[in-house]
Amino acid sequence: YPVRGIDVSHHQGQIDWRRVAADDVAFAVIKATEGGDHVDRTFATNLREARAAGIAVGAYHFFTFCRPGADQAKNFISVVPHDQPLLPPVVDIEFGGNCPQRPSPQQLGTELQAFLGPVEAAFGKPAIIYLTDEAKDAYAEQIAVRRRWLRSLAIKPSEDGWIYWQYHNMGRVDGIEGDVDLNVLQGGQQTLAELFAPSARPSPSP
């Protein structure tokens, strides 16, 4: 897998994105929002500086189980710019750090659709769904059919059809102090260029 990327949030602290770009990092998916009102405090800086360093950038939303999907969509849409090229929006579904009350597969499927509809309309691209192994086992059969970002540490995912694979959660990259998640893209530079291409239906930023 020749195309390597990272995903980051405020947990990575201040990042030297030019050094990151020079260390064989072609794409970065950056945490933007969580739930109905939380905004990652480093999102705007990370997005701007990673883009300036020549990295293909995208944004992700941590989907909480205790807020309606429509509220979470509004949060994400209000924070992530619509007028710049971006990788497809990502929705992160996992149990770690989430609300203790887990929805049924049917309930999650309904709320996820309420999130995906407005987000995909705003950004003009089908979203990518990030799933940990636990979340995949619990919900994969009931949630929307989208390209998947799978977390499978050290071992290649057992299923095909994924677009991103997070293979390490304690990786090291020049320009970042401490651990960072490492990912690869299924495909080469042409696939990355297609994902990053401007939407055919761009929406103005709010």
Side-chain angles (χ1 to χ4, degrees):
Y1 303 104
V3 180
R4 185 170 78 141
I6 59 174
D7 59 275
V8 300
S9 70
H10 69 275
H11 291 294
Q12 274 66 49
Q14 187 171 355
I15 297 173
D16 186 333
W17 284 101
R18 295 196 180 280
R19 287 170 59 194
V20 170
D23 194 20
D24 190 33
V25 172
F27 69 94
V29 186
I30 301 166
K31 184 175 182 179
T33 50
E34 179 173 333
D37 49 24
H38 177 77
V39 178
D40 190 286
R41 64 178 181 269
T42 61
F43 171 68
T45 298
N46 279 335
L47 187 72
R48 181 182 66 251
E49 294 184 357
R51 188 187 296 278
I55 294 171
V57 290
Y60 80 86
H61 173 83
F62 186 94
F63 195 89
T64 60
F65 298 150
C66 45
R67 289 293 294 269
D71 290 352
Q72 300 190 56
K74 290 176 184 175
N75 187 22
F76 186 79
I77 291 167
S78 70
V79 169
V80 181
H82 305 197
D83 55 355
Q84 307 166 10
L86 287 170
L87 296 168
V90 171
V91 55
D92 174 358
I93 300 172
E94 58 182 286
F95 297 143
N98 214 318
C99 304
Q101 183 65 39
R102 295 181 183 177
S104 70
Q106 293 77 14
Q107 289 170 331
L108 179 66
T110 297
E111 294 303 331
L112 181 59
Q113 286 289 7
F115 176 86
L116 291 173
V119 166
E120 292 179 338
F123 294 96
K125 293 182 178 183
I128 293 170
I129 298 177
Y130 171 93
L131 291 170
T132 59
D133 289 340
E134 271 190 316
K136 177 166 66 72
D137 292 342
Y139 294 124
E141 297 304 316
Q142 294 290 332
I143 62 176
V145 177
R146 296 291 188 278
R147 284 181 292 193
R148 297 287 170 82
W149 178 356
L150 297 182
R151 179 180 189 266
S152 184
L153 301 182
I155 300 172
K156 183 181 176 181
S158 58
E159 65 181 79
D160 294 324
W162 51 269
I163 186 67
Y164 302 143
W165 165 26
Q166 184 186 103
Y167 67 90
H168 205 332
N169 64 344
M170 292 186 291
R172 293 302 174 106
V173 169
D174 193 30
I176 297 177
E177 291 188 16
D179 298 334
V180 65
D181 295 337
L182 301 181
N183 305 270
V184 289
L185 173 71
Q186 177 99 282
Q189 287 291 342
Q190 180 61 33
T191 302
L192 182 63
E194 291 167 359
L195 291 172
F196 191 58
S199 165
R201 298 181 286 111
S203 300
S205 287

